[in-house]
Amino acid sequence: MSYIFRIIAIAVRYKYRLIAAYLCTAGAIVAYVALPKLFGQAIDKIVQPLMEGREVEIGAILAPVAIIMLLGVVRGALSYGQTFLAESLSQYVSYDIRNSFYNHIQHQSFSFHDRYHTGNLMSRAITDVENVRMFINMGLVRAPYFVMLFFVVGAILIISDWKLGLLSASFMPVVALYTSHVRLRMRALWLQVQEKMAELSTILQENFSGMRLVKSFASESFEEEKFNVKSAEVSDIYVRAERLRASSTSFMLFTFLVAIGLILWFGGSQVIEWHNDPERLAGMSPGQLAEFIFYLQILAMPVRMAGWLVNSYARAASAGERLFEILDHESVVKEIEQPIVMDTCGGYVRFEHVSFTYDGSKNVLEDISIEAKPGKTIALIGPPGSGKSSVIGLLPRFYDPTNGVITIDGKDIRDFTLKSLRSHVGVVQQDVFLFTASIAENIAYGNEHATSEEISNSAKVAQMSDYIESLDEGYETIIGERGSTLSGGQRQRMAIARAVLLDPPILVLDDSTSSVDAQTEDDIRVAMESLVEGRTVFIIANRISTVRKADLIIVLEKGRILEQGTHQELLDRDGSYRKLYELQLRPQTEIFKEFENGD
């Protein structure tokens, strides 16, 4: 129930709309419960004269009919207000939760996204929020209507005839116990449904994103089978939940019809007694029995809706649990209470005895110390899994180190606001992400107010301008999802242009030339020589040709620094770097020498 109370607390923010809905509810109930009494009076005004052999005048029922029609109009108007206010309130609440959910995720660290898959988060943002919306509409606003209707009508029945009233309410304890049992079982089922839906969304998201891979390996049948298995699991749990809800509704209707049969039996005997009493001092008139039956029919409405309400509460409870699990998650990368805004940055970066672990067990970085002076280029090289990207991920605080300190211009990076820190650190990641938008919008991402000239200049630095200008729509060309219409090298050059436009004092290139040919790599390197001047640059690369001109080359292996120095210094040491050089460049060097000698 704690999740239900938290959802209700969000709805209470719109208290005036909620109060108005409840006022409409109260008015609709008053208009509704007055109708059976008028029906009963009208019936008696017709039946009693006929029983006495008198002629019935049409004027005798004009007043009840007019009042019934007026109450019908009032009830219709109030029901409209209740329905509109309930729906609008549910939309406002779902809007708030959806936005809070989205905004909260935006400020989570990379470790959060390592843990929660995209499809899982999408399922929560769409399916679970919709379940909460249905609860606000049906459970929070409409449920009090049915509860009030039940108690008001129940009280009227007992006041009218306490014996028949108690008889009609005798089945309610059984219904209440059964409903409680069903609610607990349905909550567990709906939690399973939502978890399976999250898994299904993950399969969909991965399949659609990796469609080229699926087709390359002719794995359509495999993917179809995988989807069918998960889809069948979702359907089976849905069927079980609906079977439980249907059995609940059927059971309640059965008990209600049994109550109606008993009322007709005992109430009919009282009508007969009333008919046989000349003075009409005993029993129940036909109008009173009809009135009682009408009230019993009204009482059936909340009984019939109980199954839907139980379903609504069960789904909202499981949805709330999944949503608040995310909303309550605190990012491990947090700002201090009064962070500093980094207005200027000289680019002096120091890693001081830094260690880091992703999962809290084994360190992927161990005692890393690096000094990067302004205007210098630091290259990180090593085999896959050596920790190169992990080092760079700590600088803009995608993660925080487990031990040690990272400083910029002598200040701990944890003292700065995340926004100001990251605005001074330009990152070109290995896995380039591009949006389904124009080329200009993709380049200007992070600097949305950039001019066309600035965007064009950035593209020139990244050796991308010639290709863009050859397109029919130039910089306004819309690229496909995740940049699918561009080659790998073009996507990386787009990312470089994006970083160039940001004009950061600290530049990080995470293997940013891995998908370009040697000629383009050389062109980018030449074009960026003016860019890196005066900036602190970190380069992650697997090619020695990319890092050989760096001011400092750091060789990593298994999260530790094996050796560091300039290109020539490392060659002279005959260590890991030299072995890598021999493997990559020496054969090429010999070929170039033979070519130059004309052999």
Side-chain angles (χ1 to χ4, degrees), residues 115-334:
R115 176 182 175 186
Y116 292 98
H117 196 281
T118 303
N120 184 292
L121 295 175
M122 289 176 63
S123 173
R124 298 180 195 231
I126 298 172
T127 305
D128 292 341
V129 170
E130 176 61 17
N131 288 334
V132 170
R133 187 199 67 78
M134 291 175 60
F135 162 73
I136 295 298
N137 192 331
M138 287 295 299
L140 182 61
V141 179
R142 303 292 296 278
Y145 171 76
F146 296 119
V147 171
M148 289 171 62
L149 197 62
F150 175 80
F151 282 108
V152 169
V153 172
I156 291 174
L157 290 176
I158 292 175
I159 292 172
S160 299
D161 189 305
W162 69 271
K163 292 181 181 180
L164 291 181
L166 291 176
L167 180 63
S168 63
S170 61
F171 67 96
M172 289 313 299
V174 178
V175 171
L177 290 173
Y178 185 76
T179 300
S180 299
H181 171 69
V182 168
R183 183 183 67 82
L184 293 175
R185 290 183 60 188
M186 288 192 69
R187 181 184 180 279
L189 284 175
W190 281 119
L191 187 58
Q192 291 182 48
V193 165
Q194 285 153 313
E195 289 173 349
K196 294 298 181 182
M197 280 296 297
E199 295 173 9
L200 191 65
S201 298
T202 297
I203 293 174
L204 278 171
Q205 186 264 336
E206 288 182 341
N207 180 268
F208 293 158
S209 299
M211 187 56 68
R212 285 173 171 76
L213 178 66
V214 172
K215 292 189 175 297
S216 297
F217 285 86
S219 296
E220 291 90 346
S221 298
F222 171 76
E223 290 296 326
E224 288 172 7
E225 179 63 23
K226 184 169 67 173
F227 180 82
N228 288 341
V229 169
K230 192 60 64 177
S231 182
E233 291 178 3
V234 173
S235 298
D236 289 344
I237 301 174
Y238 259 115
V239 170
R240 287 163 56 193
E242 287 304 312
R243 184 187 297 123
L244 192 60
R245 186 190 64 79
S247 68
S248 173
T249 302
S250 299
F251 174 77
M252 287 184 283
L253 284 175
F254 169 74
T255 54
F256 172 75
L257 290 174
V258 170
I260 286 228
L262 293 174
I263 294 300
L264 285 174
W265 175 264
F266 291 104
S269 64
Q270 290 196 41
V271 170
I272 294 172
E273 183 181 351
W274 176 85
H275 180 269
N276 295 332
D277 182 3
E279 302 295 329
R280 309 288 189 256
L281 299 176
M284 176 184 288
S285 72
Q288 290 174 326
L289 179 60
E291 176 186 332
F292 205 94
I293 296 298
F294 280 138
Y295 275 124
L296 205 56
Q297 287 289 347
I298 293 175
L299 194 66
M301 183 187 298
V303 174
R304 286 197 303 268
M305 292 304 298
W308 290 100
L309 296 176
V310 168
N311 187 33
S312 171
Y313 274 86
R315 295 178 75 163
S318 55
E321 180 177 353
R322 285 163 47 82
L323 287 169
F324 289 119
E325 178 189 354
I326 302 299
L327 290 171
D328 292 341
H329 186 280
E330 292 189 9
S331 175
V332 295
V333 176
K334 296 183 288 188

Side-chain angles (χ1 to χ4, degrees), residues 290-562:
E291 176 186 332
F292 205 94
I293 296 298
F294 280 138
Y295 275 124
L296 205 56
Q297 287 289 347
I298 293 175
L299 194 66
M301 183 187 298
V303 174
R304 286 197 303 268
M305 292 304 298
W308 290 100
L309 296 176
V310 168
N311 187 33
S312 171
Y313 274 86
R315 295 178 75 163
S318 55
E321 180 177 353
R322 285 163 47 82
L323 287 169
F324 289 119
E325 178 189 354
I326 302 299
L327 290 171
D328 292 341
H329 186 280
E330 292 189 9
S331 175
V332 295
V333 176
K334 296 183 288 188
E335 294 180 347
I336 61 175
E337 290 187 5
Q338 295 181 333
I340 305 168
V341 176
M342 185 188 292
D343 294 323
T344 58
C345 177
Y348 181 36
V349 179
R350 283 175 59 91
F351 286 72
E352 301 176 11
H353 305 289
V354 170
S355 298
F356 173 65
T357 176
Y358 285 103
D359 56 8
S361 56
K362 183 180 178 181
N363 282 343
V364 295
L365 295 177
E366 190 73 48
D367 196 28
I368 300 295
S369 293
I370 301 172
E371 182 178 21
K373 295 181 179 179
K376 300 299 181 180
T377 298
I378 310 299
L380 302 176
I381 195 167
S386 60
K388 303 185 297 295
S389 295
S390 297
V391 171
I392 297 306
L394 298 176
L395 184 55
R397 292 194 70 194
F398 295 152
Y399 303 91
D400 273 343
T402 309
N403 294 301
V405 177
I406 303 173
T407 63
I408 294 179
D409 299 338
K411 295 180 180 178
D412 192 328
I413 60 173
R414 289 171 290 195
D415 293 338
F416 298 113
T417 64
L418 289 171
K419 183 177 179 61
S420 65
L421 170 65
R422 291 170 182 172
S423 67
H424 287 83
V425 180
V427 181
V428 179
Q429 296 177 339
Q430 185 176 14
D431 182 19
V432 179
F433 188 93
L434 298 175
F435 295 91
T436 306
S438 69
I439 290 176
E441 288 173 313
N442 271 284
I443 293 176
Y445 190 77
N447 188 8
E448 292 80 7
H449 302 294
T451 64
S452 300
E453 183 179 358
E454 290 172 333
I455 294 172
S456 177
N457 290 337
S458 300
K460 288 178 182 177
V461 172
Q463 298 294 301
M464 192 68 179
S465 59
D466 290 343
Y467 167 75
I468 297 173
E469 290 168 4
S470 69
L471 300 173
D472 292 338
E473 297 183 27
Y475 285 88
E476 298 306 314
T477 302
I478 303 296
I479 61 176
E481 184 180 4
R482 296 178 65 92
S484 59
T485 56
L486 301 177
S487 68
Q490 288 169 336
R491 288 198 294 272
Q492 285 196 318
R493 279 180 278 174
M494 287 279 288
I496 292 171
R498 184 185 288 170
V500 169
L501 185 61
L502 187 61
D503 193 26
I506 301 172
L507 188 62
V508 176
L509 305 176
D510 187 353
D511 208 8
S512 58
T513 58
S514 62
S515 297
V516 299
D517 56 76
Q519 180 60 51
T520 304
E521 178 187 4
D522 189 62
D523 291 341
I524 292 175
R525 191 184 305 114
V526 171
M528 292 186 66
E529 285 181 356
S530 59
L531 172 69
V532 301
E533 186 176 352
R535 289 180 171 80
T536 304
V537 181
F538 287 86
I539 299 176
I540 295 177
N542 292 313
R543 298 176 183 173
I544 287 183
S545 59
T546 305
V547 304
R548 61 192 302 174
K549 293 185 179 181
D551 298 296
L552 177 65
I553 300 173
I554 298 175
V555 182
L556 293 170
E557 186 173 325
K558 295 182 180 180
R560 293 179 178 273
I561 297 178
L562 284 186

Side-chain angles (χ1 to χ4, degrees), residues 53-67:
R54 292 185 288 110
E55 190 174 319
V56 181
E57 296 182 0
I58 192 66
I61 60 171
L62 283 180
V65 168
I67 296 174

